[in-house]
Amino acid sequence: MRLYAVVAAGGFRRYATYRIATAAGVFTNTVFGFILAYTYMALWDERPQLGGYDMSEALTYVWLGQALLATCAMMGGGFEDELMERIRTGDVAIDLYRPIDLQMWWLAGDLGRAAYQLMARGIAPMVLGALAFPLALPTSPGIWLAYLVSVTLGVVVSFALRYLVALSAFWLMDGAGASQIAFLAGLFFSGMLLPLTLFPGLLGEVARALPWSALLQVPADVFLGKRTGWGLVEAFAFQGGWALALLLAGRLVQSVATRRVVVQGG
């Protein structure tokens, strides 16, 4: 475990070196936060309590989305492009023969990335949003702690999804198509564009049951106090269940790919 802790710390330091990119990301998140906030204000003026949120909760949801956009890599980014390139060039064969767990290695690095993005690109837009709009910020330390747990689980779910996308490069000539599909699904089904509670009928039920809802919708509801008591346990179980299922799926696909590499190498 010490090795993976070092890898996670290395992932944090790696992204911390890109200071100009971080500043640009904070600026972009803030600008889009203001655009979405004013759009939501117009919508909620016409439809108060839309989706079960009042105006301040809806505005808080906007800024939570901006804080978690890079943290949970809802638009992609992170390790998957590098892993797909290593698969394409065949360098992944070296990784598979190393005395490490390939999935855990990339997960540790991605957790370090997410921690940096949450601190660097999450806090600043949230603070600016709180200064400009009446946000519904929790007063209970327990809610903040539950939110951090939920965000961590969301990051693991995000990693597991992107890991599966990256592994598709073992069978595809180019993983760009799979990445694009995952990017669009992440934006739509995470609730980044609109809260999933606004989706009608069967579409809403399906969207809330898919793993992408663990990236934003569930952490936002935890932050806003919509999930308390048994509801909070159910939220964690939902995120943890998807994280475990997707990690196991990734391990299975990795095992199949490993045998393929060994056969071809032999």
Side-chain angles (χ1 to χ4, degrees), residues 9-243:
F12 186 98
R13 289 194 301 270
R14 176 182 179 182
Y15 282 85
T17 59
Y18 301 107
R19 298 176 183 176
I20 301 298
T22 298
V26 170
F27 176 78
T28 302
N29 287 140
T30 302
V31 170
F32 276 98
F34 273 91
I35 294 172
L36 284 173
Y38 284 116
T39 303
Y40 273 43
M41 287 177 69
L43 182 58
W44 260 260
D45 275 337
E46 293 295 323
R47 298 283 302 276
Q49 298 298 324
L50 184 62
Y53 302 114
D54 60 26
M55 177 71 79
S56 63
E57 290 172 338
L59 291 172
T60 305
Y61 185 96
V62 168
W63 292 102
L64 287 173
Q66 295 306 308
L68 296 181
L69 180 62
T71 303
C72 291
M74 282 179 265
M75 296 180 66
F79 73 94
E80 59 267 30
D81 290 340
E82 182 179 351
L83 178 54
M84 283 191 288
E85 179 63 18
R86 293 189 67 81
I87 293 172
R88 189 187 67 81
T89 60
D91 290 341
V92 72
I94 300 174
D95 301 334
L96 292 171
Y97 280 109
R98 287 173 178 166
I100 59 166
D101 186 279
L102 185 68
Q103 188 183 59
M104 284 294 296
W105 173 277
W106 290 104
L107 173 58
D110 200 57
L111 288 174
R113 174 206 61 79
Y116 174 76
Q117 297 289 20
L118 181 62
M119 294 176 59
R121 288 185 58 175
I123 294 176
M126 194 74 183
V127 170
L128 292 171
L131 293 174
F133 301 94
L135 303 188
L137 301 178
T139 57
S140 169
I143 293 181
W144 284 97
L145 178 60
Y147 170 68
L148 290 177
V149 172
S150 185
V151 169
T152 302
L153 290 171
V155 170
V156 176
V157 172
S158 172
F159 163 81
L161 287 166
R162 289 177 288 125
Y163 190 70
L164 285 169
V165 170
L167 292 181
S168 69
F170 277 107
W171 291 272
L172 302 176
M173 293 296 293
D174 184 0
S179 295
Q180 189 69 15
I181 293 172
F183 153 66
L184 293 173
L187 275 185
F188 186 77
F189 289 112
S190 67
M192 188 66 206
L193 302 178
L194 281 172
L196 300 182
T197 54
L198 272 64
F199 288 20
L202 181 61
L203 175 61
E205 294 179 10
V206 171
R208 290 188 290 272
L210 291 174
W212 290 281
S213 66
L215 278 57
L216 172 56
Q217 183 67 59
V218 175
D221 282 343
V222 170
F223 186 88
L224 293 169
K226 304 292 184 181
R227 301 292 191 102
T228 58
W230 184 250
L232 182 60
V233 174
E234 290 179 335
F236 289 160
F238 174 81
Q239 291 180 293
W242 269 118

Side-chain angles (χ1 to χ4, degrees), residues 96 252-266:
L96 292 171
L252 176 61
V253 174
Q254 175 184 311
S255 177
V256 173
T258 300
R259 287 198 295 269
R260 181 182 181 185
V261 170
V262 170
V263 170
Q264 290 180 346

